[in-house]
Amino acid sequence: MSHAAHRTEQNRPAPRRQAVANLWTRWTRRHGHAPPTDDTGARPPSGADAGAGAGRAPGIEDSALWRMRTTVRDEPGSLAALCTALAELRVDILSLQTHPLADGTVDEFLLRVPGPLTGAELSGAVTAAGGSATWCERADAHDLVDAPTRVLGLATRTAADSAELPLALRQLLGRCTIRSLPAPTAPGAGGGPEDVPVEGVLEETAMRLRAPEGGLISIERPYLPFTPTEFARARALVELDARLGPRVPRGQDVLSLTEGGLTLSESGDITVGRADTGDLEAAKAMHDRCSARTLGLRYHGPVRDADRYLNHLLSPRYGRTLAVRTASGRIVGLGHLLWDGDETEVALLVEDAWQRRGIGTELLGRLVTMAAETGCEHVYAVTQASNTGMVATMRGLGLPLDYQIEEGTLVITARLDPAAVAAPRAYGERIGRE
């Protein structure tokens, strides 16, 4: 059974389920869901935001950007009291958004804070001034973009590519877990779209929305309840995606394989570009040309089941797929970047006759660059310990790797630094772009 094809724990074989569970345990130790009392650590301070110099008066050069959210009573003077408390700490309010509730208002601030001031001190002062359920985290220069501009930018990205919807929702709502859940196949099974009204469901720290193609989009943020305003914004993005229908960018790079001793008659240029469910038959044809060993290393289960996974893997709802095509249009390689809740998986399949020609390296480099550009901090690959080709390809990234092995199943996690991930590297000479 393919880990990539079935995201739910109950569908994973026991060894692989344990390996992925261990990976999740390590991830939650690094990140956690509940914010610490001082700072969530989501945006580590850097440069001028790292702290203040000793003996200097607080100023721009020794300040830090913080995001803060707090709930106040809906009565005159409540916001003024908060602003006064912040002013006494020499905190500069750069922006403010209000989220009305039935019995109060959630105020969301972007603040420039004197460097020595801690999150606990900031939260304490706001609580003393009447705020409750106060939450703080470090911010960075990207948060200086005003909310309408940011939302319009996310809508533009979503309009260009169906695969952007989960990423846009994550950037809109902050640190959260987003899962696309297919409609139940068994008659009468619960948890399907029929259990969720058209307008969706908001339940404190979770929201559920009907997915454009059927099924559900589940969003959870255990450490911070969603507001009706956030719910309305998320629903608007999903409705935009539904109106536009399936779509992927169709640009592709043309590459020349300069070495490798190709034996096929089509030993010419190849192209690398996006693929989707419209390429299902071509992908199945590639499966037919692959050996049982190659398919087994990729899908970790019975070879006869491999075709069943393709429709899921090629759907832009669950991630992005890159296809390598020959000059005649045959697909000889597939690379998948899959949104797995708040983790990101990479997976590769290269037809036997085209292996060891740098195609896997090319695909993986591009997928990792895509992940870094979307703000992912880690990507992981699930393979078998005997798959030395995949292990070598991951090592070839030149990134810090973590290995977790459980009864022959290997989970390799690469830590990404968006500033350090290089542009995609082609095995052969790049000769143009279509």
Side-chain angles (χ1 to χ4, degrees):
M1 181 175 295
S2 167
H3 168 76
H6 296 281
R7 322 308 303 167
T8 54
E9 289 295 325
Q10 62 266 29
N11 287 331
R12 293 189 178 110
R16 190 151 30 84
R17 182 167 61 246
Q18 183 61 46
V20 176
N22 292 338
L23 170 70
W24 175 253
T25 299
R26 289 185 288 104
W27 189 90
T28 52
R29 286 200 198 105
R30 289 197 300 266
H31 297 266
H33 284 299
T37 55
D38 185 25
D39 178 12
T40 64
R43 303 175 187 272
S46 60
D49 290 342
R56 289 185 297 168
I60 296 291
E61 69 281 358
D62 51 13
S63 63
L65 294 175
W66 286 76
R67 292 175 59 224
M68 183 186 73
R69 180 177 288 205
T70 190
T71 303
V72 298
R73 297 182 302 275
D74 188 11
E75 58 185 43
S78 297
L79 179 58
L82 288 184
C83 294
T84 299
L86 293 173
E88 290 175 350
L89 294 175
R90 303 192 65 183
V91 171
D92 185 16
I93 300 173
L94 302 180
S95 69
L96 167 65
Q97 294 185 63
T98 60
H99 302 248
L101 304 176
D103 54 354
T105 300
V106 173
D107 290 330
E108 185 174 358
F109 297 88
L110 178 63
L111 307 171
R112 189 180 298 280
V113 177
L117 195 65
T118 67
E121 292 170 330
L122 186 62
S123 178
V126 168
T127 300
S132 62
T134 302
W135 169 86
C136 302
E137 76 167 1
R138 290 275 190 170
D140 61 26
H142 295 92
D143 292 295
L144 293 171
V145 178
D146 67 306
T149 301
R150 182 161 56 92
V151 172
L152 285 172
L154 296 176
T156 300
R157 287 177 48 185
T158 301
D161 187 350
S162 295
E164 288 287 339
L165 179 61
L167 300 172
L169 289 170
R170 190 180 299 175
Q171 292 194 19
L172 178 70
L173 302 170
R175 210 170 349 145
C176 57
T177 300
I178 299 174
R179 290 186 172 89
S180 294
L181 307 176
T185 55
E194 67 276 2
D195 299 323
V196 175
V198 175
E199 63 272 14
V201 172
L202 173 61
E203 297 172 339
E204 294 291 329
T205 59
M207 65 173 78
R208 288 179 293 162
L209 299 164
R210 287 197 179 189
E213 73 291 342
L216 295 174
I217 297 174
S218 170
I219 309 171
E220 298 181 5
R221 188 175 64 187
Y223 64 93
L224 190 64
F226 293 113
T227 67
T229 300
E230 289 176 311
F231 179 67
R233 291 171 179 171
R235 187 173 60 192
L237 271 181
V238 173
E239 289 176 352
L240 172 65
D241 183 85
R243 285 180 177 272
L244 293 173
R247 62 218 174 274
V248 296
R250 288 301 179 185
Q252 57 186 9
D253 288 334
V254 181
L255 307 177
S256 177
L257 298 174
T258 56
E259 295 181 9
L262 300 180
T263 58
L264 298 179
S265 60
E266 297 177 11
S267 55
D269 300 326
I270 61 172
T271 61
V272 182
R274 290 283 297 279
D276 62 6
T277 51
D279 300 290
L280 181 60
E281 292 306 316
K284 286 182 176 179
M286 185 187 74
H287 274 185
D288 292 340
R289 298 190 299 270
C290 288
S291 67
R293 181 179 184 277
T294 290
L295 293 177
L297 288 174
R298 167 62 185 89
Y299 293 108
H300 323 296
V303 174
R304 64 180 179 273
D305 293 337
D307 285 357
R308 293 194 300 110
Y309 308 143
L310 280 174
N311 197 63
H312 173 99
L313 293 172
L314 292 171
S315 171
R317 182 64 57 228
Y318 301 104
R320 297 174 178 171
T321 297
L322 291 176
V324 176
R325 294 178 173 87
T326 65
S328 66
R330 291 199 333 185
I331 291 179
V332 296
L334 288 171
H336 304 285
L337 186 69
L338 299 162
W339 319 135
D340 183 13
D342 39 16
E343 287 286 307
T344 304
E345 181 182 358
V346 291
L348 302 175
L349 177 65
V350 179
E351 187 178 324
D352 295 64
W354 290 78
Q355 292 176 7
R356 293 176 294 279
R357 306 189 191 282
I359 289 177
T361 300
E362 175 74 15
L363 286 172
L364 185 60
R366 289 168 179 265
L367 295 173
V368 168
T369 299
M370 285 181 178
E373 288 173 348
T374 60
C376 296
E377 296 181 349
H378 306 83
V379 297
Y380 72 92
V382 179
T383 186
Q384 298 178 26
S386 60
N387 192 351
T388 56
M390 185 63 180
V391 174
T393 304
M394 290 290 288
R395 286 177 175 170
L397 291 170
L399 298 172
L401 299 179
D402 178 70
Y403 300 88
Q404 177 94 15
I405 190 167
E406 185 76 26
E407 299 184 21
T409 296
L410 178 64
V411 179
I412 309 174
T413 304
R415 186 169 71 250
L416 308 185
D417 178 359
V421 174
R425 296 173 297 171
Y427 175 84
E429 177 189 1
R430 180 167 300 167
I431 61 176
R433 181 175 180 84
E434 293 186 348

